[in-house]
């Protein structure tokens, strides 16, 4: 199983309280929350996670919708859904670079990764727990540009996660961590809150 059932269920439960989007696309499905998203084959989702989607939507969605606890489901416009799906894909070649996991968990919550440019990014371990890393170590990539994001790939399924947004003091500590000269950091080819992964102001209500 490529996804960690308990981790994904916990993440979906938390997402339902704030609201998230379910975008079916044939045999695949895209799930977009404020600070993480997955694009995966439906068959690869754990059964209980699929049942959670049905519970939140009231049925198995066959069109893009937004679900939120205590509110009526909302239809997601087709153009918006296409943009979401493209954003949760691997993107064009020039917009991505590989990352390397550092053997540090910052403040017992944030897993650190270093990019080719020796920048350190922190990702919430509860979000990364969506993946079942006992099966395979995910390929970690960094989406650069206006909104940076980590992309973790397992068998053609993708988890995109927003990096942590730290205070100036903690940000300075991460810069110092990046200067430590980590071995093999040059890769070739192969209280802190999460940043918002997408421009979804409606989730900031």
């Amino acid at each position: 199983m490529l996804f960690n059932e308990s981790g994904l269920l916990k993440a979906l439960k938390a997402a339902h309280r704030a609201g998230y989007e379910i975008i079916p696309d044939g045999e695949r499905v895209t799930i977009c929350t404020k600070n993480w998203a997955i694009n995966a084959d439906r068959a690869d989702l754990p059964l209980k996670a699929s049942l959670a989607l049905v519970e939140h939507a009231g049925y198995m969605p066959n069109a893009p919708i937004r679900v939120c606890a205590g509110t009526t489901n909302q239809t997601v416009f087709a153009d918006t859904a296409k943009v979401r799906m493209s954003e949760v894909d691997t993107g064009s070649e020039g917009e991505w670079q590989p990352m390397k996991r550092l053997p540090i968990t910052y403040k017992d919550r944030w897993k650190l990764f270093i990019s080719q440019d020796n920048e350190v990014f922190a990702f919430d371990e509860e979000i990364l727990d969506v993946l079942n890393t006992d099966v395979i170590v995910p390929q970690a990539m960094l989406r650069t540009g206006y909104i940076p994001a980590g992309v973790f790939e397992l068998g053609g399924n993708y988890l995109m996660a927003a990096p942590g947004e730290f205070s100036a003091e903690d940000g300075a500590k991460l810069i110092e961590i990046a200067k430590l000269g980590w071995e093999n950091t040059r890769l070739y080819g192969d209280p802190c809150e999460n940043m918002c992964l997408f421009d979804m102001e409606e989730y900031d209500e």
Side-chain angles (χ1 to χ4, degrees), residues 1-12 20 27 29 31 36 38-56 60 129-133 135 154 157-159:
M1 185 178 295
L2 299 176
F3 291 99
N4 176 15
E5 184 173 76
S6 61
L8 182 52
L9 284 173
K10 183 177 180 180
L12 286 173
Y20 69 95
E27 298 301 315
V29 63
I31 299 171
W36 63 268
I38 62 173
N39 177 274
D41 285 329
R42 292 192 193 203
D44 287 335
L45 291 179
L47 177 59
K48 289 184 179 179
S50 295
L51 293 176
L53 297 182
V54 172
E55 178 184 353
H56 295 166
M60 178 54 75
D129 194 41
V130 165
L131 298 175
N132 184 359
T133 53
V135 175
L154 276 173
N157 297 315
Y158 301 90
L159 165 69

Side-chain angles (χ1 to χ4, degrees), residues 15 28 46 52-53 101 114 116 119 125 139 143 145 186 189 196:
R28 296 184 70 82
L53 297 182
R101 170 83 164 94
I114 192 165
Q116 283 181 313
E119 293 182 279
E125 64 180 359
Q139 179 181 358
R143 181 183 74 178
R186 294 191 63 188
C196 185

Side-chain angles (χ1 to χ4, degrees), residues 105-111 123-126 191-194:
T105 300
Y106 191 62
K107 293 192 172 181
D108 296 322
R109 174 181 175 185
W110 303 93
K111 292 186 177 180
F123 298 96
D124 193 331
E125 64 180 359
E126 286 194 0
C192 165
E193 297 296 331
N194 280 311

Side-chain angles (χ1 to χ4, degrees), residues 5 9 37 44 68 73 84 95-96 143 160 180 187 190:
E5 184 173 76
L9 284 173
D44 287 335
C68 183
N73 295 344
R84 293 284 189 260
E95 297 174 341
W96 301 90
R143 181 183 74 178
M160 178 177 281
L180 292 178
L187 306 180
D190 294 320

